[in-house]
Amino acid sequence: MATSILAPPPPGSGLKPVPGVPGLPYIGNTLQVMRDPFGQARKRYEQFGPVSWGWLLGQRTVTVQGPEAAEAVLVNRDKAFANGPAWSYFIGPFFYRGIMLLDFDEHLHHRRIMQQAFTRDRLRAYMDAMAPSIAQGLDAWEPGRGFTVYDHVKQLTLDLATDVFMGVELDRAEADRINGAFIDAVRAGTAYVRFSVPGLRWHKGMRARKVLEEFFYRHLPAKRRHGGDDLFAALCQAETDDGHRFTDEDVVNHMIFALMAAHDTTTITLTTMAYYLAKYPEWQDRARVESLALGKPVLGFDDLDALTTVDLVMKEALRLVAPVPALPRRVVKDTSILGHHVPAGSVVVVPLLTNHHMAEWWPEPDRFDPERFAPERREDRAHRFAWAPFGGGAHKCIGLHFAGMQVKSIMHQVLCRYGWSVPGRYEWPLDTTSLPSPKDGLPVHLYRLEGTR
């Protein structure tokens, strides 16, 4: 039976209370949502409709399903929804004052400065810097059965991040130390025990933050002095037309957040693409034909639009497995969502992972079908927030063009060198307790293509 313990709507407002069931205090249905997000989302939608509440990770949380509700929250026309207080509950201690954790005028001020690091010329420079590192990373891959895609791609994207984002040469031990710190910081966000207990996720995340801060502060003075073509240097040098620049603390905060956002989300997207290209080899062959037709082992900036098949597969991968599975917001003043009264102080979550699987908006939503993004179909245009892997509104991902460029650059070189397959009945065990990833690392049979070294 549905109940509501949120503040009731104001008399005469015509608004409805948010329906829902509490479940167990504090825990609520957290475990069920983490283990089976798709099934739980369908059940909740059928029972309560697009707006409902329940306990999630220790908070009374309003979940809004579907693109219409997502638009109301993400566009945020009356500035009722704040990022910082919501994200801070999950990742604030570990990714303090990253761009996603700032709001309103302060967020726009930081975004204006940061945009200088993502101009067309900067993107071209990042792409040029990326190419030899991709080749070097792929050279180290050892073909065979049991090759774990997720682990190898994660290592590759971190190495690219140290080259392209940091511009700092690291030995293997130091790179592994930084990689481990990022893993601990990300996983801490979904800790059940949300205070510092040695050995548990939260404690590891706090320790990881200190490692990352020390690393960036140590290298920052050289970046201020010498500049460079990497993101670290770009943030140190970025300046708006009216002379605004980042402080040292701003640069460190943004670098820690950007590095996490870049290499984790790209890893998830590439792994998802690899899984479906293994399951559907006809799509792998089609993508490879386009890459080989370019006649060049390294993708150029002006070649990005030529990989139409990779683009379709990337968009479908982002739909099937949104790398950022949910976007939380804190309600800072009484508002409404689709006719429901949502009082100040509430936490609202837009579940991108499950929104992209709603049959109301996507025909056969669980089926891999990249053609749904082809010009003659464009199912994503059913609503402008039907497909929103990069969020929307003022907080839409500032690095989305960099992300697409990096994914295509890596996938092009992989397709030109390797083929890969999985057994016919293989279904990956997707772990959704934190950022989505395969529990088994996605083992494939990786083989080198004839004529490649």
Side-chain angles (χ1 to χ4, degrees):
M1 180 177 177
T3 61
S4 181
I5 59 173
L6 301 177
S13 67
L15 296 175
K16 298 174 287 187
V18 176
V21 291
L24 295 173
Y26 189 80
I27 296 175
N29 63 344
T30 298
L31 299 179
Q32 298 95 312
V33 168
M34 285 186 165
R35 291 170 181 167
D36 181 21
F38 305 108
Q40 289 296 313
R42 282 190 285 268
K43 181 179 178 182
R44 178 181 286 270
Y45 189 82
E46 291 167 1
Q47 188 172 3
F48 302 120
V51 183
S52 61
W53 77 274
W55 283 94
L56 188 66
L57 283 173
Q59 299 186 105
R60 293 191 192 99
T61 302
V62 177
T63 301
V64 298
Q65 298 192 62
E68 293 172 338
E71 180 177 22
V73 174
L74 299 180
V75 172
N76 197 15
R77 290 187 176 87
D78 63 352
K79 295 186 177 180
F81 305 101
N83 264 35
W87 277 111
S88 291
Y89 178 81
F90 297 101
I91 63 173
F94 322 112
F95 297 100
Y96 175 71
R97 291 185 62 78
I99 188 69
M100 195 170 67
L101 279 72
L102 304 178
D103 283 296
F104 308 126
D105 290 343
E106 184 181 36
H107 167 256
L108 292 176
H109 173 69
H110 279 247
R111 193 178 179 98
R112 281 181 60 218
I113 303 173
M114 186 174 282
Q115 195 64 55
Q116 308 309 309
F118 292 98
T119 63
R120 185 177 180 87
D121 287 343
R122 281 286 185 181
L123 290 176
R124 187 184 291 273
Y126 299 152
M127 192 166 176
D128 290 343
M130 209 185 295
S133 296
I134 296 173
Q136 184 178 358
L138 297 185
D139 282 344
W141 286 11
E142 297 183 5
R145 299 186 184 277
F147 178 91
T148 50
V149 172
Y150 179 81
D151 300 329
H152 285 82
V153 169
K154 190 171 181 64
Q155 187 65 64
L156 175 62
T157 58
L158 181 79
D159 290 344
L160 288 177
T162 58
D163 287 344
V164 180
F165 272 36
M166 294 190 234
V168 177
E169 289 190 17
L170 303 178
D171 60 29
R172 186 74 269 155
E174 179 72 345
D176 289 343
R177 188 175 76 96
I178 299 302
N179 190 19
F182 275 107
I183 292 170
D184 286 345
V186 171
R187 290 181 64 82
T190 52
Y192 295 128
V193 178
R194 306 187 72 77
F195 51 88
S196 195
V197 177
L200 299 186
R201 281 189 182 186
W202 195 267
H203 177 79
K204 291 179 180 178
M206 296 297 291
R207 188 174 58 192
R209 171 74 192 197
K210 292 180 181 179
V211 169
L212 297 172
E213 284 183 353
E214 184 278 329
F215 174 84
F216 284 110
Y217 276 118
R218 176 158 41 93
H219 290 284
L220 191 145
K223 290 295 175 183
R224 289 283 198 201
R225 288 194 304 270
H226 305 303
D229 290 330
D230 52 272
L231 180 68
F232 198 180
L235 293 182
C236 286
Q237 306 297 323
E239 185 174 344
T240 61
D241 292 340
D242 48 3
H244 290 289
R245 302 183 71 179
F246 284 138
T247 66
D248 287 359
E249 184 181 6
D250 290 335
V251 172
V252 170
N253 291 333
H254 289 315
M255 280 302 301
I256 291 174
F257 179 81
L259 197 57
M260 176 274 293
H263 98 270
D264 265 313
T265 54
T266 302
T267 296
I268 293 165
T269 302
L270 283 163
T271 304
T272 304
M273 292 172 71
Y275 170 64
Y276 284 103
L277 290 176
K279 292 278 289 182
Y280 298 88
E282 66 276 14
W283 277 96
Q284 186 180 149
D285 292 341
R286 176 173 159 179
R288 183 173 293 109
V289 166
E290 283 187 359
S291 280
L292 293 176
L294 289 176
K296 52 180 75 171
V298 172
L299 192 67
F301 189 80
D302 295 328
D303 300 319
L304 287 167
D305 291 339
L307 299 187
T308 55
T309 297
V310 168
D311 188 66
L312 293 176
V313 172
M314 179 179 70
K315 287 176 178 174
E316 178 70 336
L318 287 166
R319 183 189 71 82
L320 287 164
V321 183
V324 180
L327 300 176
R329 300 288 190 269
R330 176 79 68 178
V331 181
V332 294
K333 63 181 179 182
D334 287 2
T335 189
S336 63
I337 302 174
L338 302 188
H340 295 275
H341 173 65
V342 183
S346 304
V347 174
V348 174
V349 166
V350 180
L352 300 178
L353 182 69
T354 55
N355 273 4
H356 288 170
H357 286 253
M358 295 183 72
E360 293 80 1
W361 298 93
W362 298 97
E364 298 183 85
D366 298 330
R367 185 165 73 92
F368 176 71
D369 181 12
E371 291 285 2
R372 66 176 83 239
F373 291 94
E376 62 274 15
R377 287 174 61 183
R378 291 306 300 268
E379 291 176 9
D380 57 309
R381 288 184 174 172
H383 189 286
R384 68 180 182 131
F385 280 86
W387 183 76
F390 299 102
H395 280 278
K396 191 170 186 177
C397 176
I398 196 171
L400 66 93
H401 296 298
F402 176 89
M405 181 182 77
Q406 186 176 35
V407 166
K408 289 182 179 180
S409 296
I410 294 172
M411 187 55 70
H412 171 75
Q413 290 203 38
V414 172
L415 287 165
C416 288
R417 291 166 178 249
Y418 297 108
W420 63 97
S421 62
V422 292
R425 294 184 179 180
Y426 172 79
E427 299 287 337
W428 69 348
L430 189 65
D431 183 355
T432 53
T433 59
S434 183
L435 297 183
S437 61
K439 294 177 183 178
D440 59 0
L442 181 57
V444 303
H445 175 206
L446 183 78
Y447 53 93
R448 200 178 297 277
L449 300 177
E450 289 186 16
T452 63
R453 61 183 179 84

